[in-house]
Amino acid sequence: AFSTLLIWLLPAAVLMTIFVLTRSFFDVDIFRFIMPLTIGFVLYAAFKMFLSGKKDLLSITITVIAVIIGSTYPYPWIFPILIILGGFLSSNFGNHKFIPNDKPIINVRWANLTLFGSIFLIAVIVGALTKYVNISAISQPLLLFENTYRMGSLVFGGGNVLIPMIITEFVEFKDYLTMEEFQTGFGLLQGIPGPRFTIATYVNGMAMQNFGYGPLGQILGCIVGTVAIFLPGTLLIFFVYPIWGQLKTYPIVRRSLDGIIAAAIGLVFAAAVLLFIPLVGKVDGDISVSMAIILAAFLLLYFTKIPSPLLVVGAVLAGVLF
């Protein structure tokens, strides 16, 4: 399992690290069309998630609530609240058949869950202590680890749900990097193989760069981001997988999942809204250019089989030419 994980993530993580280290050598203006392209990618991801989810009135209502609240109040604590709210509404008001199940769960491997929680607590405590004694060289990487590890612990619905979390935590709430820097990195991520979670590699590396660290510090940030985003899911998989067959038969779990997924879909739509707001007037001062690129990206992804990397290359070439 670990070998598969490494084979899956290393190419994208290495390429995103290289981009962090070399970004300062590029004229940022060549990435100007990557920004609206990113919104097209996110809208397409959200729309695909919506098509695959349930479309009853309650699920759609939960999605709409998540879009409105997630885009209006972009704070880190909003996400777990919306996920819990979605599960609560679905569990209590959804149209589900009640199948009683009073069997106890057996073969629970508590070691992985204990390790999962212990790492989180240690990161929080050590990060807070080092910040208190003003050892920034230690506290900043540890705080980035805690922030990213927490986001990796809360993701429901795949890598695209990570987008709104990073935007609110790293861009809107803590100003670790600018929206433009995030959009550029996420857009370029579409052009390379590997999981979307490696956006954490990029944003942590850029955060270290913006903190004033040199190449070694930026590489450390990329490593911290990669480890912190994948570690909680890996530990939870090893804890949950042996008991999932039993756990999913419990009525409260089955009834809650639809609402959790609906909230996650709404959060991805909210991410598209948050990405769009600062984009207004950024491309040639003409919102119509941005809208045209967003619409073209969405339609090309939905109706054709053009690979995402080709769209990214096209957007970069357009930035060079114009």
Side-chain angles (χ1 to χ4, degrees):
F2 278 116
S3 299
T4 303
L5 178 65
L6 289 173
I7 292 168
W8 181 49
L9 69 88
L10 274 179
V14 170
L15 288 171
M16 294 309 286
T17 301
I18 292 172
F19 181 66
V20 168
L21 294 172
T22 59
R23 190 176 183 275
S24 59
F25 297 103
F26 295 102
D27 181 358
V28 176
D29 222 29
I30 69 172
F31 302 121
R32 61 195 309 192
F33 298 121
I34 286 288
M35 299 168 195
L37 184 68
T38 299
I39 301 173
F41 283 129
V42 175
L43 278 176
Y44 174 68
F47 189 66
K48 276 188 64 178
M49 291 174 68
F50 177 75
L51 292 179
S52 64
K54 291 192 71 172
K55 300 173 189 63
D56 57 276
L57 180 60
L58 180 60
S59 294
I60 293 174
T61 301
I62 293 171
T63 298
V64 172
I65 291 172
V67 174
I68 295 172
I69 296 178
S71 57
T72 305
Y73 302 100
Y75 304 112
W77 47 266
I78 284 292
F79 296 98
I81 289 176
L82 288 174
I83 293 293
I84 293 169
L85 177 63
F88 173 80
L89 292 175
S90 177
S91 176
N92 288 277
F93 303 104
N95 184 19
H96 304 279
K97 292 181 180 179
F98 185 83
I99 306 173
N101 182 11
D102 299 322
K103 297 179 181 178
I105 298 176
I106 59 175
N107 297 325
V108 180
R109 300 177 183 177
W110 292 108
N112 289 312
L113 185 63
T114 303
L115 183 60
F116 166 82
S118 299
I119 292 172
F120 180 77
L121 288 175
I122 291 170
V124 171
I125 294 170
V126 175
L129 288 175
T130 53
K131 186 177 181 180
Y132 179 75
V133 297
N134 198 27
I135 309 177
S136 60
I138 300 175
S139 64
Q140 288 171 336
L142 281 172
L143 288 173
L144 287 176
F145 179 89
E146 184 274 324
N147 293 164
T148 309
Y149 188 89
R150 174 162 37 83
M151 288 188 286
S153 305
L154 295 173
V155 172
F156 290 87
N160 290 307
V161 184
L162 186 63
I163 303 165
M165 291 186 179
I166 289 179
I167 292 173
T168 55
E169 183 90 23
F170 277 50
V171 179
E172 299 282 350
F173 192 64
K174 295 183 176 175
D175 295 322
Y176 287 163
L177 67 162
T178 66
M179 184 68 83
E180 183 179 336
E181 288 171 336
F182 172 82
Q183 289 174 321
T184 302
F186 184 76
L188 292 173
L189 180 63
Q190 312 306 310
I192 60 177
R196 296 293 171 262
F197 271 33
T198 48
I199 185 62
T201 306
Y202 168 80
V203 297
N204 278 271
M206 287 303 302
M208 291 293 281
Q209 183 182 103
N210 293 337
F211 290 157
Y213 286 81
L216 289 179
Q218 294 165 34
I219 292 173
L220 174 62
C222 291
I223 293 172
V224 164
T226 305
V227 172
I229 200 63
F230 286 101
L231 184 58
T234 303
L235 294 175
L236 286 176
I237 281 293
F238 286 129
F239 169 72
V240 172
Y241 183 74
I243 62 173
W244 179 242
Q246 307 167 64
L247 192 63
K248 68 182 181 181
T249 63
Y250 281 75
I252 189 171
V253 175
R254 294 179 67 90
R255 295 199 305 261
S256 299
L257 283 176
D258 290 337
I260 290 172
I261 293 170
I265 294 169
L267 290 173
V268 180
F269 276 115
V273 175
L274 292 172
L275 286 168
F276 181 76
I277 292 172
L279 191 65
V280 176
K282 285 284 186 178
V283 181
D284 292 337
D286 189 352
I287 188 62
S288 62
V289 176
S290 300
M291 294 296 294
I293 295 172
I294 294 168
L295 181 61
F298 179 86
L299 294 176
L300 286 171
L301 289 168
Y302 187 76
F303 289 107
T304 74
K305 295 183 179 180
I306 297 176
S308 298
L310 288 183
L311 296 179
V312 174
V313 171
V316 174
L317 288 176
V320 173
L321 292 173
F322 296 102

